[in-house]
Amino acid sequence: MHQLVVASDLALDPDVAFERGCEIAAANCADLHVLRLRDHHRRGSPSAPSSQVLAEDVGRRFPCIGSVSFSEPMPPHAGAIVSKAEMLGADLIVMRNAIDSDQIDDRPFDLIVKVAREGSIPVLAVQAEATGPYKRLLALLDEEEDAQRVLDLALQIRSANEVYAVHACPKRSTVEYLGAAMEALKQVIAETLAKRTDVATPVKPIVRRGDLASVLIEQWSALHPDLIVAATHRHRGLEAIFRRSHVADLLEIMPFDLLVTNLEAADRVAPTNPKADRQRRPPA
């Protein structure tokens, strides 16, 4: 990852998206671009630090970051965020999913969902304060081709030392079906790792019966991962959850960070900027 975008109003103290974005940018020696969104603070609430103060603080605490830039305050509109991130050649958009009680009707995940659905750049929804780099990842895998792409995205998190590749099978799956699914999952893992010779992170396959939402909750409770990695693609992946429950309601109550990629949008987008194309390649 070479270009990271944080899209946040920077209202929380500390701002969870900004802190996590700084950490990831430092780990990759990447450039950090902050899209400063306008907030809806209640009257009398403390104001967020200035961009100059934040930039100086980042320089002291994260010397490995390539560069830091801040936009002028802009409306929290998904289209504007995606367009700006694409112009910057962003590999990742980081946004806060923590609710700010000092703001009026603050529902940050509503905006995150719109950004994830509208663009092809992976979006990291940050729920909790960073207590260290992501170490344990749960990659929620679906169809074979999509699974490789989601797993590859998970493996781009350099700090990970454990990745759990989880696949949900129909509730009434037979033992034979589960066995075949496990072998297919192992093949996906092997093929993905073969293309990523820069990665030594172990990947453990897990196959469970149940709908996507219940398997996700079950495995999050059992494995306690730092980060969930998943995809949206038509009516598969997280879109299967979107149809059953408003995603903001579902994930607002789940205390995990979520990295989501919109595979359908990615399929529509062919990079036309050679520089941006190079920047979006997995780090060597």
Short mmCIF file of all heavy atoms in Angstrom, two decimals, residues 120-155:
data_model
loop_
_atom_site.label_atom_id
_atom_site.label_comp_id
_atom_site.label_asym_id
_atom_site.label_seq_id
_atom_site.Cartn_x
_atom_site.Cartn_y
_atom_site.Cartn_z
N SER A 120 -14.50 1.28 -5.97
CA SER A 120 -13.79 0.00 -6.06
C SER A 120 -12.62 -0.07 -5.10
O SER A 120 -11.95 -1.10 -5.02
CB SER A 120 -13.28 -0.20 -7.49
OG SER A 120 -12.38 0.84 -7.85
N ILE A 121 -12.35 1.00 -4.36
CA ILE A 121 -11.23 1.03 -3.42
C ILE A 121 -11.68 0.38 -2.11
O ILE A 121 -12.74 0.72 -1.58
CB ILE A 121 -10.77 2.47 -3.15
CG1 ILE A 121 -10.35 3.14 -4.46
CG2 ILE A 121 -9.62 2.51 -2.15
CD1 ILE A 121 -10.10 4.64 -4.33
N PRO A 122 -10.92 -0.55 -1.55
CA PRO A 122 -11.29 -1.15 -0.27
C PRO A 122 -11.48 -0.09 0.82
O PRO A 122 -10.76 0.91 0.85
CB PRO A 122 -10.10 -2.06 0.06
CG PRO A 122 -9.50 -2.38 -1.27
CD PRO A 122 -9.68 -1.14 -2.10
N VAL A 123 -12.46 -0.34 1.69
CA VAL A 123 -12.79 0.60 2.76
C VAL A 123 -12.59 -0.10 4.10
O VAL A 123 -13.11 -1.20 4.33
CB VAL A 123 -14.24 1.10 2.64
CG1 VAL A 123 -14.58 2.04 3.80
CG2 VAL A 123 -14.44 1.82 1.30
N LEU A 124 -11.85 0.55 4.99
CA LEU A 124 -11.63 0.04 6.34
C LEU A 124 -12.51 0.84 7.30
O LEU A 124 -12.32 2.05 7.47
CB LEU A 124 -10.16 0.18 6.73
CG LEU A 124 -9.80 -0.18 8.18
CD1 LEU A 124 -10.17 -1.62 8.50
CD2 LEU A 124 -8.32 0.08 8.45
N ALA A 125 -13.49 0.16 7.90
CA ALA A 125 -14.38 0.79 8.88
C ALA A 125 -13.81 0.50 10.27
O ALA A 125 -13.78 -0.65 10.70
CB ALA A 125 -15.79 0.22 8.76
N VAL A 126 -13.38 1.55 10.97
CA VAL A 126 -12.69 1.40 12.25
C VAL A 126 -13.66 1.66 13.38
O VAL A 126 -14.22 2.75 13.49
CB VAL A 126 -11.48 2.35 12.35
CG1 VAL A 126 -10.73 2.12 13.65
CG2 VAL A 126 -10.55 2.15 11.16
N GLN A 127 -13.82 0.66 14.22
CA GLN A 127 -14.77 0.74 15.33
C GLN A 127 -14.08 1.07 16.65
O GLN A 127 -14.59 1.84 17.46
CB GLN A 127 -15.50 -0.60 15.47
CG GLN A 127 -16.42 -0.71 16.66
CD GLN A 127 -17.86 -0.48 16.29
OE1 GLN A 127 -18.16 0.38 15.47
NE2 GLN A 127 -18.76 -1.23 16.87
N ALA A 128 -12.91 0.49 16.88
CA ALA A 128 -12.26 0.59 18.19
C ALA A 128 -10.96 1.37 18.10
O ALA A 128 -10.35 1.47 17.02
CB ALA A 128 -11.99 -0.80 18.74
N GLU A 129 -10.54 1.91 19.23
CA GLU A 129 -9.26 2.60 19.28
C GLU A 129 -8.14 1.60 19.02
O GLU A 129 -8.20 0.45 19.46
CB GLU A 129 -9.05 3.26 20.65
CG GLU A 129 -9.98 4.43 20.91
CD GLU A 129 -9.64 5.15 22.22
OE1 GLU A 129 -8.48 5.05 22.65
OE2 GLU A 129 -10.55 5.76 22.79
N ALA A 130 -7.13 2.04 18.30
CA ALA A 130 -6.00 1.17 17.98
C ALA A 130 -5.18 0.90 19.23
O ALA A 130 -4.75 1.82 19.92
CB ALA A 130 -5.13 1.83 16.90
N THR A 131 -4.98 -0.38 19.52
CA THR A 131 -4.12 -0.77 20.64
C THR A 131 -2.88 -1.49 20.13
O THR A 131 -2.13 -2.07 20.89
CB THR A 131 -4.88 -1.71 21.60
OG1 THR A 131 -5.35 -2.85 20.88
CG2 THR A 131 -6.06 -1.00 22.24
N GLY A 132 -2.67 -1.43 18.83
CA GLY A 132 -1.54 -2.07 18.19
C GLY A 132 -1.94 -2.52 16.80
O GLY A 132 -3.13 -2.47 16.44
N PRO A 133 -1.00 -2.92 15.99
CA PRO A 133 -1.30 -3.36 14.61
C PRO A 133 -2.25 -4.56 14.59
O PRO A 133 -2.33 -5.33 15.55
CB PRO A 133 0.08 -3.73 14.05
CG PRO A 133 1.07 -3.06 14.94
CD PRO A 133 0.44 -2.99 16.29
N TYR A 134 -2.96 -4.72 13.47
CA TYR A 134 -3.81 -5.89 13.30
C TYR A 134 -2.94 -7.15 13.24
O TYR A 134 -2.02 -7.24 12.43
CB TYR A 134 -4.62 -5.78 12.00
CG TYR A 134 -5.64 -4.67 11.99
CD1 TYR A 134 -5.61 -3.69 10.99
CD2 TYR A 134 -6.64 -4.61 12.95
CE1 TYR A 134 -6.56 -2.68 10.96
CE2 TYR A 134 -7.59 -3.59 12.92
CZ TYR A 134 -7.55 -2.63 11.93
OH TYR A 134 -8.49 -1.64 11.89
N LYS A 135 -3.26 -8.14 14.08
CA LYS A 135 -2.49 -9.39 14.13
C LYS A 135 -3.31 -10.60 13.68
O LYS A 135 -2.82 -11.43 12.94
CB LYS A 135 -1.98 -9.63 15.55
CG LYS A 135 -1.00 -8.60 16.06
CD LYS A 135 0.30 -8.62 15.26
CE LYS A 135 1.33 -7.67 15.85
NZ LYS A 135 2.58 -7.66 15.06
N ARG A 136 -4.56 -10.69 14.14
CA ARG A 136 -5.41 -11.85 13.83
C ARG A 136 -6.52 -11.39 12.89
O ARG A 136 -7.35 -10.56 13.25
CB ARG A 136 -6.02 -12.44 15.10
CG ARG A 136 -5.00 -13.04 16.05
CD ARG A 136 -5.58 -13.24 17.44
NE ARG A 136 -6.67 -14.20 17.44
CZ ARG A 136 -6.52 -15.52 17.58
NH1 ARG A 136 -5.30 -16.02 17.70
NH2 ARG A 136 -7.55 -16.33 17.59
N LEU A 137 -6.56 -11.94 11.69
CA LEU A 137 -7.52 -11.55 10.67
C LEU A 137 -8.47 -12.70 10.37
O LEU A 137 -8.05 -13.87 10.33
CB LEU A 137 -6.80 -11.14 9.38
CG LEU A 137 -6.32 -9.70 9.25
CD1 LEU A 137 -5.36 -9.33 10.36
CD2 LEU A 137 -5.67 -9.48 7.89
N LEU A 138 -9.73 -12.37 10.17
CA LEU A 138 -10.73 -13.33 9.72
C LEU A 138 -11.18 -12.90 8.33
O LEU A 138 -11.79 -11.84 8.18
CB LEU A 138 -11.91 -13.39 10.69
CG LEU A 138 -12.94 -14.50 10.50
CD1 LEU A 138 -13.77 -14.67 11.78
CD2 LEU A 138 -13.90 -14.24 9.32
N ALA A 139 -10.86 -13.72 7.33
CA ALA A 139 -11.27 -13.43 5.95
C ALA A 139 -12.51 -14.25 5.64
O ALA A 139 -12.47 -15.49 5.67
CB ALA A 139 -10.14 -13.75 4.99
N LEU A 140 -13.61 -13.58 5.35
CA LEU A 140 -14.88 -14.25 5.07
C LEU A 140 -14.95 -14.52 3.56
O LEU A 140 -15.10 -13.58 2.77
CB LEU A 140 -16.04 -13.37 5.52
CG LEU A 140 -17.42 -13.98 5.63
CD1 LEU A 140 -17.43 -15.13 6.64
CD2 LEU A 140 -18.44 -12.93 6.03
N LEU A 141 -14.82 -15.79 3.16
CA LEU A 141 -14.64 -16.13 1.76
C LEU A 141 -15.90 -16.76 1.19
O LEU A 141 -16.57 -17.56 1.84
CB LEU A 141 -13.46 -17.09 1.59
CG LEU A 141 -12.14 -16.63 2.21
CD1 LEU A 141 -11.03 -17.62 1.85
CD2 LEU A 141 -11.77 -15.23 1.76
N ASP A 142 -16.17 -16.42 -0.10
CA ASP A 142 -17.38 -16.91 -0.76
C ASP A 142 -16.99 -17.70 -1.99
O ASP A 142 -16.28 -18.69 -1.91
CB ASP A 142 -18.28 -15.72 -1.09
CG ASP A 142 -19.68 -16.14 -1.50
OD1 ASP A 142 -20.28 -16.96 -0.78
OD2 ASP A 142 -20.17 -15.66 -2.54
N GLU A 143 -17.42 -17.26 -3.18
CA GLU A 143 -17.10 -17.96 -4.42
C GLU A 143 -15.59 -18.04 -4.64
O GLU A 143 -14.84 -17.18 -4.17
CB GLU A 143 -17.76 -17.25 -5.60
CG GLU A 143 -19.27 -17.16 -5.52
CD GLU A 143 -19.94 -18.51 -5.68
OE1 GLU A 143 -19.37 -19.37 -6.38
OE2 GLU A 143 -21.01 -18.71 -5.09
N GLU A 144 -15.13 -19.04 -5.39
CA GLU A 144 -13.70 -19.33 -5.51
C GLU A 144 -12.90 -18.13 -6.00
O GLU A 144 -11.91 -17.75 -5.39
CB GLU A 144 -13.50 -20.52 -6.44
CG GLU A 144 -12.03 -20.92 -6.57
CD GLU A 144 -11.86 -22.20 -7.38
OE1 GLU A 144 -12.87 -22.92 -7.57
OE2 GLU A 144 -10.74 -22.45 -7.81
N GLU A 145 -13.31 -17.52 -7.13
CA GLU A 145 -12.55 -16.40 -7.67
C GLU A 145 -12.58 -15.21 -6.71
O GLU A 145 -11.56 -14.58 -6.44
CB GLU A 145 -13.11 -15.98 -9.03
CG GLU A 145 -12.33 -14.83 -9.67
CD GLU A 145 -12.90 -14.43 -11.01
OE1 GLU A 145 -13.80 -15.14 -11.53
OE2 GLU A 145 -12.47 -13.39 -11.54
N ASP A 146 -13.76 -14.92 -6.17
CA ASP A 146 -13.88 -13.83 -5.20
C ASP A 146 -13.06 -14.13 -3.95
O ASP A 146 -12.47 -13.24 -3.35
CB ASP A 146 -15.35 -13.62 -4.81
CG ASP A 146 -16.19 -13.10 -5.97
OD1 ASP A 146 -15.60 -12.78 -7.01
OD2 ASP A 146 -17.41 -13.02 -5.83
N ALA A 147 -13.04 -15.39 -3.54
CA ALA A 147 -12.32 -15.78 -2.33
C ALA A 147 -10.83 -15.45 -2.46
O ALA A 147 -10.21 -14.97 -1.51
CB ALA A 147 -12.51 -17.27 -2.07
N GLN A 148 -10.25 -15.72 -3.62
CA GLN A 148 -8.84 -15.42 -3.81
C GLN A 148 -8.59 -13.93 -3.68
O GLN A 148 -7.59 -13.50 -3.08
CB GLN A 148 -8.37 -15.91 -5.18
CG GLN A 148 -8.25 -17.41 -5.29
CD GLN A 148 -7.49 -17.84 -6.52
OE1 GLN A 148 -6.65 -17.11 -7.03
NE2 GLN A 148 -7.77 -19.04 -7.01
N ARG A 149 -9.49 -13.12 -4.18
CA ARG A 149 -9.29 -11.67 -4.15
C ARG A 149 -9.44 -11.13 -2.72
O ARG A 149 -8.71 -10.24 -2.31
CB ARG A 149 -10.28 -11.01 -5.11
CG ARG A 149 -9.98 -11.38 -6.56
CD ARG A 149 -11.15 -11.15 -7.48
NE ARG A 149 -11.42 -9.75 -7.70
CZ ARG A 149 -12.42 -9.31 -8.48
NH1 ARG A 149 -13.23 -10.17 -9.06
NH2 ARG A 149 -12.61 -8.02 -8.64
N VAL A 150 -10.39 -11.68 -1.99
CA VAL A 150 -10.57 -11.25 -0.60
C VAL A 150 -9.38 -11.69 0.25
O VAL A 150 -8.85 -10.93 1.07
CB VAL A 150 -11.89 -11.80 -0.02
CG1 VAL A 150 -11.98 -11.51 1.47
CG2 VAL A 150 -13.08 -11.19 -0.75
N LEU A 151 -8.94 -12.92 0.05
CA LEU A 151 -7.79 -13.42 0.80
C LEU A 151 -6.53 -12.61 0.46
O LEU A 151 -5.73 -12.29 1.36
CB LEU A 151 -7.57 -14.89 0.51
CG LEU A 151 -6.44 -15.59 1.27
CD1 LEU A 151 -6.63 -15.43 2.78
CD2 LEU A 151 -6.36 -17.06 0.90
N ASP A 152 -6.36 -12.28 -0.79
CA ASP A 152 -5.21 -11.46 -1.19
C ASP A 152 -5.24 -10.10 -0.50
O ASP A 152 -4.21 -9.58 -0.06
CB ASP A 152 -5.18 -11.27 -2.71
CG ASP A 152 -3.97 -10.49 -3.17
OD1 ASP A 152 -2.85 -11.05 -3.17
OD2 ASP A 152 -4.11 -9.30 -3.51
N LEU A 153 -6.43 -9.52 -0.38
CA LEU A 153 -6.57 -8.24 0.32
C LEU A 153 -6.16 -8.39 1.78
O LEU A 153 -5.45 -7.55 2.33
CB LEU A 153 -8.01 -7.74 0.22
CG LEU A 153 -8.34 -6.45 0.98
CD1 LEU A 153 -7.49 -5.28 0.49
CD2 LEU A 153 -9.82 -6.11 0.87
N ALA A 154 -6.60 -9.48 2.42
CA ALA A 154 -6.23 -9.71 3.82
C ALA A 154 -4.72 -9.82 3.96
O ALA A 154 -4.13 -9.31 4.93
CB ALA A 154 -6.91 -10.98 4.33
N LEU A 155 -4.08 -10.47 3.01
CA LEU A 155 -2.64 -10.68 3.09
C LEU A 155 -1.85 -9.40 2.85
O LEU A 155 -0.63 -9.37 3.09
CB LEU A 155 -2.21 -11.76 2.09
CG LEU A 155 -2.74 -13.17 2.39
CD1 LEU A 155 -2.43 -14.12 1.25
CD2 LEU A 155 -2.17 -13.70 3.70
#
